[in-house]
Amino acid sequence: MLFASMSLEDDLGDWRRSHYSSELHGMDGREVTLMGYVASIRDHGNILFVMLADKDGEVQIVFKRNAEGSDGATTQALFSKARMLKEHSSIAVKGIVRSMKNAPKGVEVVPKEMKILSLARSVPPFSVYSKNIPLDVRLDIRAVDLRRHYLRAVFRIRHNLLKAIRSFLDERGFIEVSTPKMISTASEGGAALFPIFYFDREAFLAQSPQLYKEQLTLAFEKVYEIAPIFRAEPSRTNRHLAEAISIDVEHAFVNYEDVMGILEEMISHAIGYVVDKCKDEFSILGTTPIKPSTPFPRYRYSQLIDILKGEGIRIEWGDDFAAEHLKALSSMLKGYYFIVDWPARMRPFYTKTKDDGSTALSESFDLMHGDLEISSGSTRINRKDELMERLKMQGLKPESFAHHLIVFDYGMPPHAGFGLGLERLLMTVTGLENIRDATFYPRDIDRLVP
């Protein structure tokens, strides 16, 4: 059976694609060469409708049983070959374009030749048009899952989000950088680290590029990085990943108020861009976000503690907001909003305390969307003695950060920055309920393959 199916397959040879499915309008009577995979097959006996999908979309290929000399005729041999196709097979078709009002997108192709480049040998347990399929079923064959129209739309939106964010930062004088992902000590303290073997010693996968991007402001002032981060958090929620993409920004000679302004303008710009560029994709998803107006509302940590207490919810100053607290706040606070001025002891060691003389509060913020945290940032400490003191207060050893602290001997400028989770931002833009569908191959406490 295997050898029989292999004999049906053709080599690519000198065939090359002439057009994509999106380029066929206004080409009546022209011969084209299309390549892609079989999204669906409808067999009506004497007529076979094959939907060929490529990176841009789909086009209908119409095979008719042998009717030599008539319009749209397909030879018996070609028709018989088409009857052997299975969904997901990769094919190449040479044929004539014609307008057809009832065809999807108003155009179809009548084939003259076809090559079966790879015949599908298995039928997946879902269609490319399906939406609600158990997650584990899909993730086990993720590459096939990503052929589904819904996810293709999500990742085209993701691509355009990143394009808009890069453009926004580039136009404002930021330079894109790359920092090490194998590090000798924690970037932010804490225990959520993945240890690895680095030759003859222990190392870790980076939780964030935090310390490196701070150092880079010494030379470049305005930097950003879009890259993976790794957090060993044993969470099984629909909003946690062990490997995620972080959009990290750092800026010299500013404070947290300045970078909050950059962050909100960047998000508003990026959403406006994808709303304009991804109309078809949002149509597939059945939702379209509204470009948020700026500035985003700002609420002090202490203010929100009082609001929750006023609602009869048990919480004390100095407590972190648990899931039930954020749910309660999201019922009152809609869209994007900042929580600012957090207690200093709750923030990472590099976070600057308030300039008002208070050591209890920090110049820090979280950006929320409903009950989902999507970004965190602060003004950073730029004086070595203060930074060493904060390290000790948080139970960290300054000698473990010697390679970072030495930079502060060379005039570290005042600086501030933030990290923004790409997958979480994509969730807010697309309406995804599970963060695993916001990344190509998710990694979490239970999944290390494919």
Side-chain angles (χ1 to χ4, degrees):
M1 181 67 179
L2 176 62
F3 291 110
S5 62
M6 289 178 63
S7 67
L8 297 173
E9 296 177 333
D10 304 297
D11 291 329
L12 179 64
D14 60 358
W15 280 37
R16 294 296 182 270
R17 174 191 277 121
S18 67
H19 295 81
Y20 287 96
S21 60
S22 61
E23 302 171 325
L24 303 182
H25 287 281
M27 296 187 63
D28 274 31
R30 294 270 301 276
E31 181 173 308
V32 297
T33 302
L34 306 177
M35 297 183 181
Y37 70 91
V38 177
S40 68
I41 303 170
R42 289 180 292 130
D43 190 341
H44 293 272
N46 291 326
I47 301 178
L48 196 67
F49 297 98
V50 172
M51 294 302 295
L52 182 149
D54 59 25
K55 75 177 185 66
D56 286 359
E58 294 181 352
V59 60
Q60 180 170 277
I61 314 295
V62 183
F63 296 86
K64 291 185 178 180
R65 191 181 295 276
N66 189 24
E68 296 289 354
S70 65
D71 176 53
T74 301
T75 66
Q76 183 62 42
L78 183 54
F79 185 84
S80 297
K81 190 174 185 178
R83 294 290 294 270
M84 297 176 185
L85 288 174
K86 297 179 181 178
E87 289 183 4
H88 291 280
S89 299
S90 289
I91 63 173
V93 173
K94 287 185 179 180
I96 305 300
V97 179
R98 69 178 182 186
S99 295
M100 181 61 62
K101 184 178 180 180
N102 295 327
K105 299 187 178 179
V107 67
E108 64 184 18
V109 171
V110 179
K112 296 169 63 178
E113 299 178 69
M114 178 181 68
K115 285 191 174 188
I116 300 177
L117 302 173
S118 180
L119 188 66
R121 288 160 172 77
S122 297
V123 179
F126 50 81
S127 160
V128 297
Y129 305 100
S130 301
K131 288 188 178 180
N132 300 315
I133 311 150
L135 185 65
D136 283 340
V137 171
R138 298 192 287 106
L139 292 181
D140 286 343
I141 47 172
R142 184 59 160 176
V144 178
D145 184 30
L146 291 169
R147 279 182 163 177
R148 289 193 304 126
H149 291 25
Y150 189 88
L151 284 186
R152 280 160 55 95
V154 167
F155 286 103
R156 282 194 292 266
I157 292 168
R158 177 189 185 274
H159 167 76
N160 281 283
L161 265 180
L162 284 173
K163 184 177 179 180
I165 287 169
R166 278 195 168 93
S167 174
F168 177 92
L169 293 169
D170 290 346
E171 289 174 2
R172 283 154 183 79
F174 286 83
I175 182 172
E176 185 168 6
V177 298
S178 299
T179 61
K181 298 299 167 242
M182 295 183 290
I183 59 175
S184 62
T185 190
S187 307
E188 302 181 3
L193 290 162
F194 285 109
I196 59 172
F197 291 109
Y198 189 76
F199 299 105
D200 60 346
R201 55 195 182 276
E202 185 181 52
F204 305 94
L205 295 177
Q207 295 167 301
S208 86
Q210 180 61 41
L211 306 187
Y212 292 105
K213 66 175 181 170
E214 286 191 58
Q215 294 179 24
L216 288 169
T217 63
L218 198 74
F220 300 105
E221 294 193 12
K222 302 168 77 170
V223 299
Y224 74 93
E225 179 173 20
I226 301 174
I229 59 171
F230 306 89
R231 295 181 184 262
E233 296 174 344
S235 301
R236 289 185 171 88
T237 75
N238 64 358
R239 55 184 61 184
H240 286 90
L241 291 170
E243 179 181 357
I245 299 297
S246 184
I247 301 163
D248 274 274
V249 171
E250 205 72 18
H251 192 339
F253 305 108
V254 298
N255 70 7
Y256 75 139
E257 291 283 357
D258 299 299
V259 294
M260 276 192 283
I262 292 170
L263 175 56
E264 63 193 359
E265 290 295 336
M266 183 180 78
I267 288 176
S268 180
H269 167 79
I271 292 176
Y273 181 87
V274 297
V275 167
D276 181 56
K277 297 293 183 181
C278 300
K279 292 181 173 61
D280 290 343
E281 287 75 15
F282 283 114
S283 176
I284 292 170
L285 300 186
T287 182
T288 302
I290 298 173
K291 177 182 177 180
S293 58
T294 58
F296 298 162
R298 287 153 167 73
Y299 300 96
R300 297 186 308 279
Y301 168 87
S302 301
Q303 182 183 1
L304 296 184
I305 293 291
D306 291 341
I307 289 174
L308 290 171
K309 284 185 172 182
E311 294 293 318
I313 298 171
R314 183 178 297 178
I315 190 169
E316 297 298 330
W317 196 94
D319 291 343
D320 201 355
F321 294 120
E324 62 267 26
H325 302 137
L326 295 173
K327 281 287 186 185
L329 289 173
S330 69
S331 67
M332 298 176 271
L333 310 176
K334 304 300 182 183
Y336 298 97
Y337 63 93
F338 287 105
I339 304 176
V340 302
D341 299 349
W342 288 72
R345 65 179 178 82
M346 298 175 65
R347 307 306 272 187
F349 67 86
Y350 49 78
T351 307
K352 189 178 184 296
T353 55
K354 292 280 287 184
D355 271 339
D356 59 8
S358 167
T359 58
L361 297 178
S362 61
E363 295 188 0
S364 61
F365 63 86
D366 283 353
L367 177 62
M368 309 293 298
H369 184 274
D371 65 343
L372 182 66
E373 176 195 334
I374 64 172
S375 178
S376 184
S378 68
T379 309
R380 322 304 194 184
I381 296 171
N382 72 303
R383 295 187 174 90
K384 185 175 182 178
D385 56 349
E386 185 180 346
L387 190 56
M388 291 178 67
E389 186 62 30
R390 283 295 299 279
L391 281 165
K392 294 174 184 176
M393 287 175 61
Q394 296 200 6
L396 300 170
K397 298 177 180 180
E399 55 267 29
S400 298
F401 295 84
H403 288 92
H404 180 58
L405 291 169
I406 194 172
V407 177
F408 287 70
D409 291 333
Y410 298 92
M412 176 65 77
H415 56 286
F418 60 81
L420 168 67
L422 173 62
E423 290 86 0
R424 290 191 174 192
L425 176 62
L426 187 59
M427 288 176 73
T428 72
V429 172
T430 60
L432 286 173
E433 294 184 358
N434 196 312
I435 198 168
R436 289 157 186 79
D437 275 333
T439 187
F440 294 96
Y441 293 94
R443 292 289 178 261
D444 57 38
I445 189 173
D446 297 312
R447 184 169 286 275
L448 192 56
V449 294

